[in-house]
Amino acid sequence: MRQSQLFTKTTKNLPEGEESKNAKFLIKGGFINKSSAGVYTLLPLGLRVLNKINNIIREEMNALGAEELLMPALIHKKYWEQSGRWGTAAQIIYKTGVEELNYGLGWTHEEVISAIAKHFISSYKDLPRAAYQIQTKFRAEARAQAGILRGREFLMKDLYSFHADRADLDGYYEKVIGAYKKIFKRLGLKALVTEASGGAFTNEYTHEFQVLNPAGEDTVFYCETCGFSRNQEIYKPEAHKDCAGEVKSGRAIEVGNVFKLGTKFSESFNLTYNDKTGAKQQVIMGSYGIGPSRAMGTIVEEYNDEKGILWPEAVAPFRVHLVALGDNPKVLKEAEKTYELLSGLVGEAEVLYDERSASAGEKLNDADLLGIPVRVLVSEKTIAAKKLEVKMRSVEKAEMMTLAQVKKIF
C-alpha cells in the first residue's frame, strides 16, 4: 500500500488527559481516534493490527473445536432478569406508542448463550459443545483511563462451553488455558496464569492471564521459580509454601480470564439434558474471555521506545516499510522496482510504501512511530552502492544489503 493513500496521517497532538503509552503512540500514529472518554475508533491501521490479533485467537479457538457465532449487543431485560442481573448493565429504554422496551448493552453473554443452548441441547449426546464470538462489549466505567486498556466500549472474545459433568468441564478448562498460553505467546505477551477470586460468577478460584507492566491496574504476587501467581485480592503468604523461590509483586494488565460457571446460568434458564438413564441433569458451563483490543494496547505498552511502537511481526500492520528518500526521479524509479520485489516476497498487502513528497526527517520519524518491523530505504546513496538500506525497528543500526541478502530476510 502507498502511504500517500492512507486514510490517516501521523499527528503530534494528543487529546487532553491521554497519558498512557498505548494512547500516546496509537493516536499519534493514526491507529485509533478518541471519540469520547473510554470510546475509540479503530482507524484502518489499528484495524489491521486488531484483525491479526483476532485471527490468532480464532485459529486457537477453532483448534479447540469451538464454533464461532455472533450474538446481539443489545440484550432484552428478560434475559438479565432471569439471572438476577438486570440493573448491572448499561440500560437503554425505548418508548413507543404501545409499549416501553427495556434493553441492556451487553458486557457479557452468559444469559443469551444459555437461552440459545436450550434449543439445541437436550441429550447427553449433544454434549460437550463450545461456541465463541468476537464482539463489541460495553461497561459502565466511572473512570475510563489508560487508552484502550480500560474503556467503556471494547472488543471481547468470549467462549462458552457446555458439559455433562464436572470432570468434562475440568478437562476442557485446562485445554482452554493451554490455548490461551499459545495465543499470548504468539502475540508476544508473557502472561502469568494467575489465581483470582470468582467474583459474581463462581465461589471457586478462577484464573486470569496477567502481563506484568507498570500500566496495569492489578497487583499480582508471583514466583519465577515455580510459576506461582495470585491476584493481590486473594493472596496470603502461606499460599506459597512448596517452593523456596522468592515471591515478588508487580503491577499487571489482565488480558484474559477463565471461569468454571458450573450450573449458575443453566439453573436460571432451566438448561438441562437427559442422561443415559433418561434422568434430567443440569448442564455444566464454563466461560472464557480475552480482550483483543486490550491485548493490542498491552502490546504497545510492552513494545515501545521513545520514538514509537515496536510491533511484533505477528501483529504488525505491515511486515515491511519501504521508504524512498528524496524526489530524484532515479530514486523513485528504483523504489518502485523495490516495491514490486518486496510485494512479491511478502505480498503487496504487507508492504507500506512511503512515496510521499516529504522531508527525510519526517519520513524516518513516521517510520519509527508506526513501528513496522523492517524498514527498507532507497536513496541516492543506496543506488550508488547498488544495495538497499535495511533496518530492523528493534535495533539502532541500519545495514546495507544486496537484493539477495534482502530476499533471505523474508
Side-chain angles (χ1 to χ4, degrees):
M1 183 174 188
R2 297 174 188 273
Q3 198 160 338
S4 63
Q5 296 174 353
L6 278 180
F7 181 74
T8 58
K9 297 179 181 178
T10 60
T11 180
K12 295 181 180 179
N13 302 317
L14 276 177
E16 185 178 349
E18 294 289 7
E19 298 178 357
S20 64
K21 289 179 180 179
N22 79 87
K24 174 183 174 183
F25 292 131
L26 290 172
I27 291 173
K28 286 186 173 182
F31 292 88
I32 64 174
N33 178 264
K34 186 175 183 178
S35 297
S36 58
V39 181
Y40 298 86
T41 294
L42 270 294
L43 298 169
L45 280 178
L47 189 57
R48 288 180 69 93
V49 174
L50 194 62
N51 284 340
K52 289 188 176 183
I53 293 172
N54 288 341
N55 286 339
I56 288 172
I57 292 171
R58 280 192 176 97
E59 288 173 5
E60 297 300 340
M61 292 298 96
N62 294 344
L64 282 174
E67 297 178 81
E68 186 172 6
L69 48 66
L70 186 62
M71 290 178 275
L74 202 59
I75 303 173
H76 196 276
K77 72 173 182 180
K78 66 182 180 182
Y79 296 101
W80 302 100
E81 286 178 334
Q82 260 186 271
S83 65
R85 294 204 297 173
W86 178 247
T88 61
Q91 296 174 14
I92 295 176
I93 298 176
Y94 287 107
K95 291 186 177 180
T96 69
V98 179
E99 61 180 331
E100 186 176 273
L101 305 176
N102 292 270
Y103 293 85
L105 291 172
W107 54 278
T108 186
H109 277 72
E110 281 80 5
E111 286 86 356
V112 177
I113 195 67
S114 297
I116 292 171
K118 276 181 63 67
H119 296 285
F120 307 107
I121 295 175
S122 59
S123 164
Y124 71 94
K125 295 179 181 179
D126 300 322
L127 297 169
R129 289 287 185 272
Y132 73 97
Q133 65 174 351
I134 299 176
Q135 191 224 45
T136 301
K137 296 288 197 294
F138 304 89
R139 175 166 47 201
E141 184 63 56
R143 271 188 24 173
Q145 58 186 346
I148 59 174
L149 292 184
R150 190 164 189 85
R152 292 175 175 143
E153 179 178 320
F154 54 96
L155 202 65
M156 176 65 69
K157 185 286 302 176
D158 40 329
L159 165 70
Y160 303 94
S161 65
F162 304 88
H163 308 270
D165 55 46
R166 187 52 184 259
D168 196 56
L169 168 63
D170 290 346
Y172 192 77
Y173 187 88
E174 292 303 319
K175 289 180 181 178
V176 175
I177 288 178
Y180 274 29
K181 288 179 179 179
K182 292 179 184 177
I183 288 168
F184 294 122
K185 184 177 181 179
R186 292 178 65 181
L187 296 180
L189 295 175
K190 185 179 180 181
L192 300 176
V193 183
T194 304
E195 291 182 340
S197 68
F201 289 95
T202 175
N203 292 326
E204 294 187 56
Y205 286 162
T206 61
H207 290 89
E208 301 168 341
F209 292 77
Q210 296 275 6
V211 177
L212 292 170
N213 190 285
E217 292 182 308
D218 294 333
T219 298
V220 299
F221 289 81
Y222 62 97
C223 173
E224 294 174 335
T225 302
C226 65
F228 170 88
S229 183
R230 273 198 181 180
N231 195 299
Q232 182 183 35
E233 62 184 0
I234 61 165
Y235 174 70
K236 294 180 180 179
E238 56 268 26
H240 183 258
K241 59 185 179 181
D242 298 323
C243 174
E246 178 187 2
V247 173
K248 302 177 182 178
S249 66
R251 302 289 288 177
I253 303 169
E254 182 186 344
V255 290
N257 49 53
V258 291
F259 300 87
K260 294 179 183 178
L261 298 175
T263 59
K264 176 179 174 61
F265 290 94
S266 57
E267 288 176 358
S268 297
F269 287 83
N270 194 29
L271 177 57
T272 62
Y273 71 95
N274 292 329
D275 65 18
K276 291 182 179 181
T277 69
K280 283 195 177 296
Q281 304 289 347
Q282 293 286 341
V283 173
I284 311 294
M285 291 176 60
S287 174
Y288 321 85
I290 286 179
S293 52
R294 178 177 281 201
M296 177 176 166
T298 305
I299 290 168
V300 177
E301 293 288 341
E302 285 284 285
Y303 294 93
N304 67 80
D305 60 17
E306 70 280 358
K307 297 176 182 178
I309 306 169
L310 293 83
W311 291 112
E313 184 176 324
V315 299
F318 299 90
R319 290 182 64 189
V320 189
H321 198 169
L322 172 63
V323 179
L325 287 191
D327 294 326
N328 184 322
K330 191 175 181 180
V331 169
L332 295 177
K333 182 179 179 181
E334 187 64 27
E336 289 288 340
K337 287 171 56 180
T338 306
Y339 183 37
E340 290 182 15
L341 169 73
L342 293 173
S343 296
L345 290 173
V346 299
E348 187 175 357
E350 289 294 335
V351 183
L352 180 62
Y353 173 28
D354 190 352
E355 85 306 4
R356 299 174 299 163
S357 179
S359 69
E362 181 180 351
K363 288 189 172 188
L364 296 179
N365 287 338
D366 281 357
D368 284 337
L369 176 59
L370 296 181
I372 296 167
V374 183
R375 188 190 76 195
V376 177
L377 188 146
V378 177
S379 66
E380 292 182 11
K381 178 183 175 182
T382 65
I383 292 173
K386 296 183 179 181
K387 292 185 177 182
L388 294 168
E389 182 183 296
V390 180
K391 181 182 177 298
M392 304 300 173
R393 178 62 181 88
S394 58
V395 302
E396 287 295 322
K397 189 176 179 181
E399 185 178 348
M400 297 292 280
M401 293 186 179
T402 64
L403 284 178
Q405 289 173 315
V406 171
K407 288 180 180 179
K408 288 181 180 179
I409 295 176
F410 307 106

